[in-house]
Amino acid sequence: MNTETNPENWIFASPSRLNALDKCPRQMWWKYETDEVEPAGFWAARGLVTEAMVMSIIRNSRSGSIDTHSIEDEGKRAWQAECDKHPDLNNFNEEMEKNFPRWVAGASMYQHSGELTDEQFYCELEFEGLPKLRGFGDLEVMENGRYVIRDIKAKGQLSKTVELGWRRQLTMYALARAKKYELDQLPLCEIDMISVGKTPGHRRIPVDI
């Protein structure tokens, strides 16, 4: 199979594409440079569902109440939205129903802080001679007079590990937002890790960039 890259496909890049390149160049080529439809990913969908439930908690916190039913509803809505985009994901419906209570329990442990200033925000960054970087950040808040960018990650258990790909994502987002706001210093960056395994939990991890 010819895996020669098409330069036109590198007009834009993203943290996700660079992470794929780190892990396996051939897999990156297959995912981003062919017309093949990527198979539905259960773990990726789990992350998106957890993120949707966390955002529901943040919105609820503005009214001073946490409604577990609304969290569950948002999680199921997010799962169905992923199934609509990737019909093969319906093959995991039974697995989802089995694990969903843990996802809800994990998301329910989330502790929000700061004033939400943006969510699911688009970032674009350009360096001379390199592909333009673009991506979407999860959360931006103002806390103690400084912008903070947070990325939500769903894991089977809590840890303090910050993966290279996560650091790369946050660095790109911080540089883009600093440019947008004309800041003298980069925003702070944090990982909001949600445990959706046997022991639910939430850990906020500062990330040096």
Side-chain angles (χ1 to χ4, degrees):
M1 178 185 296
N2 179 14
T3 58
E4 182 177 350
T5 189
N6 181 352
E8 293 185 359
N9 289 334
W10 282 92
I11 296 174
F12 291 98
S14 66
S16 298
R17 179 180 288 205
L18 296 177
N19 294 344
L21 180 61
D22 280 343
K23 293 178 180 178
C24 177
R26 188 180 182 89
Q27 183 182 35
M28 184 278 298
W29 172 86
W30 181 85
K31 180 176 181 180
Y32 291 100
E33 302 207 28
T34 73
D35 294 327
E36 297 291 333
V37 177
E38 185 179 12
F42 179 75
W43 303 116
R46 181 187 71 173
L48 292 169
V49 169
T50 302
E51 183 179 313
M53 290 190 289
V54 167
M55 291 309 306
S56 175
I57 290 171
I58 293 173
R59 296 185 188 103
N60 285 341
S61 69
R62 294 175 176 175
S63 62
S65 64
I66 301 297
D67 184 347
T68 302
H69 293 296
S70 69
I71 297 171
E72 293 179 357
D73 290 344
E74 185 62 23
K76 291 179 179 178
R77 184 207 61 77
W79 175 264
Q80 186 57 55
E82 287 304 302
C83 288
D84 291 342
K85 288 190 289 185
H86 304 284
D88 288 350
L89 198 58
N90 285 293
N91 295 329
F92 296 100
N93 280 336
E94 186 175 340
E95 185 74 8
M96 179 269 188
E97 291 292 342
K98 176 183 175 181
N99 288 278
F100 188 65
R102 289 181 177 176
W103 303 357
V104 174
S108 298
M109 299 293 290
Y110 184 81
Q111 296 293 317
H112 178 61
S113 67
E115 178 186 353
L116 182 66
T117 54
D118 210 348
E119 60 179 278
Q120 291 299 310
F121 53 90
Y122 176 75
C123 288
E124 192 169 280
L125 199 61
E126 189 169 11
F127 297 98
E128 186 176 352
L130 295 174
K132 186 178 293 186
L133 288 172
R134 60 185 182 181
F136 287 89
D138 290 341
L139 293 172
E140 178 189 87
V141 303
M142 177 65 72
E143 191 167 38
N144 299 321
R146 191 167 177 183
Y147 284 105
V148 183
I149 295 173
R150 293 176 179 153
D151 201 52
I152 302 167
K153 302 295 183 185
K155 304 292 284 185
Q157 61 184 20
L158 294 179
S159 75
K160 296 182 180 179
T161 301
V162 176
E163 297 180 9
L164 172 62
W166 303 352
R167 194 182 305 275
R168 178 182 287 143
Q169 282 180 287
L170 286 168
T171 299
M172 182 260 179
Y173 301 152
L175 287 170
R177 299 308 263 191
K179 181 179 180 181
K180 176 181 178 180
Y181 297 138
E182 299 182 346
L183 302 177
D184 294 329
Q185 56 184 345
L186 292 175
L188 297 174
C189 292
E190 298 171 336
I191 293 292
D192 268 335
M193 186 178 292
I194 310 296
S195 170
V196 292
K198 293 182 179 180
T199 305
H202 168 228
R203 175 175 290 159
R204 183 160 291 139
I205 308 171
V207 179
D208 293 326
I209 58 171

